[in-house]
Amino acid sequence: RVLSLELNKDRDVERIHGSSINTLDIEPVEGRYMLSGGSDGVIVLYDLENLSRKPSYTCKALFTVGRSHPDVHKFSVETVQWYPHDTGMFTSSSFDKTLKIWDTNTLQPADIFHFEGTVYSHHMSPVATKHCLIAVGTKSPKVQLCDLKSGSSSHILQGHRQEVLAVSWSPRHEYILATGSADGRVKLWDVRRASGCLSTLDQHNGEKSKASSEAANTAHNGRVNGLCYTNDGLHLLTIGTDDRMRLWNSSTGENTLVNYGKVCNESRKGLKFAISCGCNPEFAFVPYGSTIAVYTVFTGELITMLRGHYSTVNCCVFQPHFQELYSGSRDCNILAWIPAPREPVPDDISEKSLPQQHLNPAYEDAWSSSDDEG
């Protein structure tokens, strides 16, 4: 189904945003409601379900935190995320230096965290049961951890040298966090440890001499502006402004050396890409100029480029129940990429008239009925 993804003329997403769409998130509970965040600070919630029962339909916006809303973000919304366990709460962070925790039913912020610099990225763990920490990447090299239970944001992780553009919790271990920075480094942290940093990923797997011109232990020779774990948490995919994408073994920290070729990436901020879930093989969907490049995660093969946007694609999100993809762009549109319907075989063709020679002898019916034998 992923291999047949196409722009679907029967599925539209209502156009609300008047500026670039930076971030999308589909809630994991039902896979039905999607959030989007725009450069003008606006947040929209869509219902992806077809309530009309007609083949052609538009995904309607249920509500908008628009420019006139008293608590709207003042500047660009860079990340939106649903609370992973129910749809009653969602989060948003912005260049206005805040992270807001929203009550979905009242559309009021239940809490607001303030930071010293612009916020590039935040993430809540999809699997945590013992903590309620939101990891936040800002203009500061310190990674901030905001505790939803206590309202405190005093916990910080120190180690990066420049701004933190991407953060992602492991979907396998609730205390493990990955962060990517403009310093070219990707760090893995155990947030229970005082020192925090477990490892700094090294693209050369330790084989380059310390005397070399390149700084030791860099994941990319440019800013690291995107991170995404595979669904099982065993691998981490990173993307950098060196036009490279790298796949890491998340337990050993080893660069698997999968070659994806040149992955053009000029983003000055975080890049939101997605990995499929429940497919074999798994795919990565990566914004690539005004297209979305689809790669096989473990072999690095470029399968296809999805073309349809008129301007830079900033984000995409995968809907695992129906293998659909949604993408947001600077052209103010959200596009739905849906697997092409299979051509049904007409009923009047009986199996007998299909060419028989294609049947592998191993699968041929070798049973004989007792009538033939007598």
Side-chain angles (χ1 to χ4, degrees):
R1 284 171 63 83
V2 168
L3 293 176
S4 68
L5 281 176
E6 61 177 22
L7 253 192
N8 192 310
K9 59 183 183 302
D10 293 331
R11 178 93 53 103
D12 233 353
V13 180
E14 191 177 350
R15 185 169 171 161
I16 304 285
H17 286 279
S19 71
S20 178
I21 295 162
N22 298 326
T23 169
L24 296 169
D25 191 43
I26 297 175
E27 45 83 20
V29 183
E30 291 179 78
R32 173 175 173 179
Y33 300 104
M34 180 171 73
L35 291 165
S36 63
S39 291
D40 51 4
V42 169
I43 297 170
V44 184
L45 186 150
Y46 301 91
D47 185 349
L48 301 179
E49 193 154 296
N50 182 3
L51 300 172
S52 71
R53 299 273 183 271
K54 296 192 181 88
S56 283
Y57 72 101
T58 298
C59 300
K60 287 285 184 213
L62 294 183
F63 64 68
T64 303
V65 180
R67 294 305 312 155
S68 57
H69 191 289
D71 298 298
V72 68
H73 282 290
K74 295 191 173 46
F75 303 124
S76 175
V77 174
E78 291 299 304
T79 313
V80 289
Q81 190 194 1
W82 287 101
Y83 179 61
H85 308 294
D86 76 64
T87 54
M89 184 164 84
F90 66 91
T91 55
S92 62
S93 60
S94 160
F95 278 179
D96 67 9
K97 307 179 183 178
T98 65
L99 163 69
K100 297 188 180 187
I101 318 299
W102 298 86
D103 179 322
T104 313
N105 299 309
T106 64
L107 270 201
Q108 300 300 317
D111 207 348
I112 300 179
F113 293 92
H114 296 269
F115 303 95
E116 285 170 17
T118 49
V119 183
Y120 290 105
S121 169
H122 77 268
H123 193 229
M124 277 179 284
S125 167
V127 293
T129 55
K130 299 185 184 72
H131 73 76
C132 286
L133 296 172
I134 304 180
V136 185
T138 70
K139 213 163 181 67
S140 153
K142 300 183 182 90
V143 181
Q144 315 260 171
L145 297 176
C146 299
D147 192 331
L148 276 184
K149 280 203 178 102
S150 66
S152 142
S153 58
S154 54
H155 194 150
I156 56 171
L157 303 172
Q158 297 197 60
H160 283 298
R161 295 173 195 177
Q162 291 180 48
E163 54 198 12
V164 179
L165 299 173
V167 296
S168 181
W169 292 95
S170 161
R172 194 176 187 87
H173 303 289
E174 65 175 289
Y175 294 106
I176 303 297
L177 174 71
T179 59
S181 163
D183 62 13
R185 290 177 174 78
V186 172
K187 289 181 177 287
L188 300 180
W189 313 80
D190 182 333
V191 298
R192 293 169 298 186
R193 292 167 45 148
S195 58
C197 187
L198 289 172
S199 65
T200 303
L201 303 183
D202 175 16
Q203 59 183 310
H204 304 295
N205 289 332
E207 283 167 23
K208 211 125 191 231
S209 73
K210 290 283 183 279
S212 80
S213 57
E214 280 173 38
N217 284 26
T218 53
H220 288 270
N221 304 323
R223 300 187 301 281
V224 182
N225 59 354
L227 290 172
C228 191
Y229 275 97
T230 53
N231 192 49
D232 58 12
L234 295 176
H235 290 87
L236 177 69
L237 198 56
T238 64
I239 194 163
T241 55
D242 55 358
D243 292 342
R244 288 282 175 259
M245 194 155 71
R246 297 206 162 92
L247 183 73
W248 310 81
N249 177 320
S250 56
S251 52
T252 64
E254 193 178 358
N255 179 359
T256 63
L257 305 175
V258 173
N259 181 7
Y260 300 93
K262 183 180 179 183
V263 184
C264 281
N265 171 8
E266 286 147 19
S267 178
R268 302 287 314 167
K269 44 191 195 178
L271 189 72
K272 312 279 198 275
F273 65 100
I275 295 182
S276 65
C277 160
C279 301
N280 182 16
E282 297 292 6
F283 300 92
F285 305 96
V286 184
Y288 197 116
S290 63
T291 70
I292 300 147
V294 182
Y295 296 91
T296 51
V297 170
F298 295 105
T299 56
E301 193 183 342
L302 175 60
I303 298 293
T304 184
M305 306 284 269
L306 301 176
R307 300 174 197 280
H309 282 289
Y310 299 112
S311 185
T312 309
V313 179
N314 296 320
C315 54
C316 50
V317 63
F318 187 69
Q319 208 284 22
H321 304 329
F322 301 112
Q323 295 81 43
E324 299 167 350
L325 187 75
Y326 292 85
S327 57
S329 159
R330 206 150 81 195
D331 63 14
C332 311
N333 287 319
I334 297 173
L335 296 184
W337 308 84
I338 312 292
R342 292 208 181 121
E343 287 299 316
V345 179
D347 290 340
D348 53 296
I349 302 179
S350 69
E351 300 220 330
K352 293 275 188 306
S353 62
L354 289 173
Q356 290 288 313
Q357 66 270 25
H358 293 320
L359 205 54
N360 180 322
Y363 299 121
E364 273 181 4
D365 184 356
W367 293 98
S368 63
S369 68
S370 51
D371 299 354
D372 300 347
E373 287 168 359

